[in-house]
Amino acid sequence: MAICYNLPVFQMRHLKVMQAVEDIEGKLVRWLDSISRALTFHELELIKVETIGKSGVLTLAFKELMHLSIDDKKLFGERLNRAKNSIESAIANRLKHIEILTITEKLKNETLDITLPVVNGQFGSLHMITQTVRRIRDHYHSRGFLVLDGPEIESDFFNFDALNIPKHHPARQSHDTFYLDGLEETLLRTHTSCVQIRTMMKMGLPIRMISIGKTYRNDQLDSTHSPMFHQIEGLVVDRKGITIGHLKNELKKFVATFFEVDEVDIRLRPSYFPFTEPGMEVDCRYTKENGRLRITKDGDRWLELGGAGMVHPNVFKASGIEGPAQGFAFGFGLERLIMLRYGISDIRVIFDTDVRYLQHYA
Ligand code: PHE
């Protein structure tokens, strides 16, 4: 409708806004239709900009309202609001719908059929450490041992005092302990022997358990040392009748299973661990064949595997064991066993993330 310049100003405004509102109501059907057919967020955004955006048709019409009489404001305001609301709710509904469409489409494209054959022959595998821990656990489970855990952050009571290593004992120095900042008595355990104490305190006798876990010492990383490594701890205790003979038998069974040979020869060599009496070093016979190590009971050389001994009376005392008690304990380094079994000469290979190593030793 043409604007008549001879009308009073308020009437001209009335006409202008009425025209705008009618225009909007006429287009509303088209907008709603476009919204209901929009397939992308972008399409919706365009309609939004055109209608209720900052300079959208509706927004501008709203701005005109302020020049009108109160009655006109009410009349046209209501009609504009209705149009705005229907656009907003239509957009919101469609938005939800598009979201669902997008997700459905994505799922359709990302479907993974795990029953299809592997094409490139690349399978994942468990890490050597995981495989080895599982094998060792299976072995001891089959021999009636409990497999228990202990914390890696320990107090020096469990790591040292209770194991008959008092404050100024030289053995503390040789452990190169990581102490926790600001916590004087708290450390990263230097061996798994702490689990011996925790188990005796918690379970009392008899005990037949192993524990496998991480241990820490402040050593420079080189081909045979790592500041983090794993140990296997064993503890068998009863009121009486547990002897070095039982210890030796248990060690033999383990070494044979671990290296997958029928028979092995074990030697217990006197040594010193404050928490054992007597303490001993565990060796086993092997030979070298074409530069490779082979564990065999007729081997001509001795290989050092770990420590062992009969539990020291002070350890029983510190663990709250009263009355007679007798038993043995042993401790092995897991990485050393892995290196021997897989023929690895550098411990860093075990912790390297190079997939080629992992695949090779899988
Ligand atoms: N805890 C000892 C170490 O870390 C190993 C050990 C365990 C020795 C049990 C004897 C008995 O070296």
Side-chain angles (χ1 to χ4, degrees):
M1 187 196 278
I3 291 165
C4 311
Y5 290 96
N6 51 1
L7 284 174
V9 176
F10 72 90
Q11 264 193 1
M12 274 174 57
R13 287 194 175 128
H14 172 90
L15 282 176
K16 194 178 153 198
V17 177
M18 188 169 71
Q19 204 178 18
V21 172
E22 274 169 6
D23 190 38
I24 285 169
E25 285 173 340
K27 285 180 179 162
L28 189 60
V29 180
R30 186 174 60 79
W31 283 325
L32 293 178
D33 184 52
S34 308
I35 293 172
S36 73
R37 279 185 291 112
L39 289 175
T40 62
F41 295 118
H42 181 66
E43 277 175 68
L44 276 187
E45 196 55 36
L46 288 181
I47 303 172
K48 204 171 166 182
V49 169
E50 186 189 338
T51 56
I52 54 175
K54 231 173 167 184
S55 326
V57 186
L58 268 93
T59 315
L60 295 182
F62 269 113
K63 278 187 185 152
E64 289 298 321
L65 287 181
M66 66 178 179
H67 304 296
L68 298 182
S69 67
I70 298 200
D71 286 345
D72 277 356
K73 243 187 232 171
K74 219 173 142 189
L75 180 68
F76 294 129
E78 236 168 59
R79 289 167 68 179
L80 280 180
N81 266 324
R82 225 176 301 138
K84 187 181 177 215
N85 288 342
S86 55
I87 288 179
E88 277 177 344
S89 69
I91 288 183
N93 280 337
R94 191 61 192 169
L95 209 66
K96 268 189 227 148
H97 191 73
I98 293 179
E99 260 165 29
I100 295 171
L101 284 182
T102 317
I103 293 174
T104 318
E105 188 64 19
K106 219 174 154 187
L107 283 176
K108 218 164 52 194
N109 294 333
E110 288 179 0
T111 307
L112 183 67
D113 184 352
I114 55 166
T115 63
L116 285 175
V118 178
V119 210
N120 58 6
Q122 293 231 332
F123 290 91
S125 62
L126 294 176
H127 190 271
M128 276 176 276
I129 292 187
T130 309
Q131 290 187 40
T132 308
V133 167
R134 291 188 182 180
R135 289 182 60 231
I136 296 174
R137 269 199 322 225
D138 286 351
H139 169 78
Y140 281 105
H141 269 149
S142 78
R143 300 197 51 75
F145 281 68
L146 288 178
V147 179
L148 303 175
D149 274 331
E152 287 166 33
I153 296 177
E154 266 295 8
S155 67
D156 59 7
F157 172 77
F158 285 107
N159 197 84
F160 293 126
D161 298 273
L163 287 161
N164 200 30
I165 313 174
K167 286 275 175 306
H168 299 291
H169 197 285
R172 284 210 187 199
Q173 265 66 61
S174 69
H175 277 232
D176 293 315
T177 312
F178 285 117
Y179 281 90
L180 268 70
D181 272 352
L183 296 168
E184 236 164 76
E185 316 253 289
T186 314
L187 45 83
L188 295 180
R189 66 178 179 189
T190 60
H191 52 181
T192 42
S193 297
C194 335
V195 190
Q196 289 186 31
I197 311 295
R198 289 184 174 274
T199 309
M200 284 193 269
M201 281 184 162
K202 208 187 274 171
M203 303 194 0
L205 306 187
I207 290 171
R208 196 171 163 78
M209 74 92 182
I210 61 151
S211 185
I212 312 179
K214 293 189 172 76
T215 51
Y216 302 84
R217 289 185 199 179
N218 194 357
D219 286 327
Q220 203 61 42
L221 183 67
D222 63 25
S223 64
T224 53
H225 294 88
S226 161
M228 188 284 292
F229 56 103
H230 295 73
Q231 282 193 341
I232 309 145
E233 190 81 17
L235 179 69
V236 174
V237 186
D238 207 340
R239 288 294 168 201
K240 60 178 183 172
I242 309 284
T243 67
I244 295 180
H246 294 126
L247 166 63
K248 190 167 180 183
N249 179 55
E250 218 44 78
L251 293 168
K252 260 183 162 169
K253 290 260 158 47
F254 169 67
V255 176
T257 307
F258 187 81
F259 290 102
E260 296 171 277
V261 290
D262 289 337
E263 267 187 283
V264 294
D265 192 15
I266 294 282
R267 175 175 79 179
L268 297 176
R269 193 161 35 87
S271 183
Y272 175 70
F273 299 101
F275 37 96
T276 57
E277 182 52 41
M280 45 207 109
E281 216 79 53
V282 182
D283 299 337
C284 102
R285 271 193 197 277
Y286 77 104
T287 53
K288 272 212 155 142
E289 268 169 16
N290 315 322
R292 266 196 77 106
L293 174 147
R294 192 164 69 86
I295 307 285
T296 161
K297 83 175 199 330
D298 335 286
D300 51 339
R301 309 169 187 224
W302 290 101
L303 185 69
E304 194 180 310
L305 288 179
M310 299 307 286
V311 180
H312 196 290
N314 287 352
V315 174
F316 286 133
K317 215 182 288 165
S319 309
I321 302 290
E322 279 165 21
Q326 209 173 51
F328 64 77
F330 56 85
F332 292 108
L334 190 81
E335 283 77 7
R336 181 167 160 76
L337 290 176
I338 291 179
M339 288 165 79
L340 293 170
R341 177 155 186 268
Y342 291 84
I344 297 172
S345 56
D346 191 327
I347 194 172
R348 288 168 291 200
V349 165
I350 300 178
F351 301 115
D352 205 301
T353 50
D354 192 328
V355 195
R356 286 168 304 176
Y357 285 134
L358 301 178
Q359 270 163 355
H360 179 72
Y361 293 110

